Amino acid sequence: MFTSIAGRSVLVTGGTKGIGKGIARVFARAGANVVVSGRDTSAGETVLRDLAGLSGSVSFVRGDVGLAPDCERIAAETIARNGGLDVLCANAGVYPSARIEEMTEADIDAIFATNVKGSILMVQACTSALEFSSRGRVLLTSSITGPITGYPGWSHYGATKAAQLGFMRTAAIELAPKRITVNAVLPGTIATEGLAELGDDFVAQTTASIPAGRLGSVEDIGNACLFLATQEAAYITGQAIVVDGGQVLPESLGALEAM
Ligand SMILES: NC(=O)c1ccc[n+]([C@@H]2O[C@H](COP(=O)([O-])OP(=O)(O)OC[C@H]3O[C@@H](n4cnc5c(N)ncnc54)[C@H](OP(=O)(O)O)[C@@H]3O)[C@@H](O)[C@H]2O)c1
């Protein structure tokens, strides 16, 4: 049904693990030429092995999205390798836990540097190439945490994920004349390497709170991004799409028990 992805040039930041790796797999399977980036070269090499043999190509560029020169280099290398850029998935993110009483200034700076500054810097670095594409797409990986829900220990994280949406709305207006759309995907709880580090209790309790009865898969998020990147989605911009199996819907534990 959606046939406009084959041959597109796609950059996925934070594509070496988790959701970003899932996004990369979905796009490469659809025939896109994908560059994944991250700070960890050995994780990047693993992705190249894991995603070999799909319809589109996959390559790796090392870089830290919290640093402007790295963002410029990631964008430039992607454009050079794939002959341009059509889709930026600004997905790199971190979610360390810290309660308000114990949170340090360094904790706050670090999470904003990757999640907020990193998203903005990557969009800046990619805007010219996305304009040249004439069908440019920016897809931000936000979260339900912050824009919709809260969780103790993640007040700073939630602030970054809500900030991404604030950025998105003005970016969508500014970039519309360049025929670039800017949208966000808000994952619920998705089974990733990063999530597994939060422990079995967290995973079990969260699974029990999701009407769909399972955690999301990284490909659930990749499929939403794929749709927003198609030509058929060209008129959707500045929107936040929740992909969470109904996780935000129950108004009480009773609502889940009554299912
Ligand atoms: N998992 C969930 O349930 C969930 C839910 C809602 C939203 N999200 C969002 O989804 C995104 C991905 O999360 P995930 O669960 O897939 O996490 P993950 O498994 O920990 O993977 C995070 C990715 O981001 C990269 N990264 C982190 N900091 C970076 C930096 N400064 N510069 C460049 N790359 C960086 C990591 O690569 P390196 O380590 O190689 O740098 C890795 O590829 C995040 O934005 C997160 O907020 C996740």
Side-chain angles (χ1 to χ4, degrees):
M1 180 170 65
F2 298 114
T3 55
S4 52
I5 295 298
R8 296 277 180 96
S9 168
V10 178
L11 169 59
V12 185
T13 69
T16 57
K17 292 179 206 148
I19 289 174
K21 186 173 172 181
I23 294 171
R25 184 188 297 276
V26 167
F27 274 95
R29 196 187 282 147
N33 297 315
V34 182
V35 170
V36 297
S37 77
R39 297 160 302 175
D40 179 348
T41 301
S42 75
E45 287 165 355
T46 302
V47 172
L48 301 191
R49 281 196 298 277
D50 291 350
L51 302 190
L54 297 173
S55 175
S57 67
V58 180
S59 63
F60 169 69
V61 177
R62 207 206 73 79
D64 182 338
V65 297
L67 304 172
D70 280 27
C71 293
E72 294 290 343
R73 186 175 44 74
I74 293 166
E77 289 194 23
T78 302
I79 293 158
R81 282 181 199 184
N82 288 345
L85 181 65
D86 302 299
V87 182
L88 165 65
C89 298
N91 165 82
V94 290
Y95 38 92
S97 178
R99 285 189 176 249
I100 293 164
E101 315 88 76
E102 74 206 21
M103 195 185 294
T104 65
E105 184 179 359
D107 290 335
I108 300 166
D109 286 343
I111 201 164
F112 273 81
T114 296
N115 296 4
V116 182
K117 190 172 82 164
S119 298
I120 298 172
L121 287 174
M122 281 310 313
V123 172
Q124 279 187 312
C126 294
T127 293
S128 298
L130 291 170
E131 179 179 14
F132 189 73
S133 151
S134 78
R135 52 189 181 187
R137 299 282 188 276
V138 174
L139 300 163
L140 303 168
T141 307
S142 175
S143 178
I144 59 169
T145 309
I148 301 175
T149 63
Y151 199 98
W154 278 338
S155 61
H156 58 346
Y157 173 72
T160 67
K161 294 285 130 178
Q164 287 180 301
L165 301 189
F167 167 70
M168 172 190 75
R169 295 191 179 96
T170 292
I173 297 171
E174 286 190 21
L175 301 185
K178 301 178 189 297
R179 290 196 276 174
I180 301 169
T181 68
V182 187
N183 293 290
V185 174
L186 278 58
T189 307
I190 309 300
T192 64
E193 292 91 330
L195 190 88
E197 290 169 14
L198 301 177
D200 292 344
D201 285 352
F202 176 87
V203 170
Q205 284 173 356
T206 305
T207 303
S209 76
I210 300 172
R214 64 171 176 88
L215 298 185
S217 71
V218 295
E219 297 197 2
D220 288 326
I221 306 307
N223 288 330
C225 291
L226 188 75
F227 166 66
L228 289 167
T230 60
Q231 192 53 35
E232 290 83 353
Y235 204 55
I236 301 172
T237 195
Q239 300 305 306
I241 297 187
V242 174
V243 184
D244 73 340
Q247 187 172 354
V248 300
L249 300 177
E251 61 186 30
S252 68
L253 289 174
L256 289 164
E257 286 162 12
M259 273 174 60

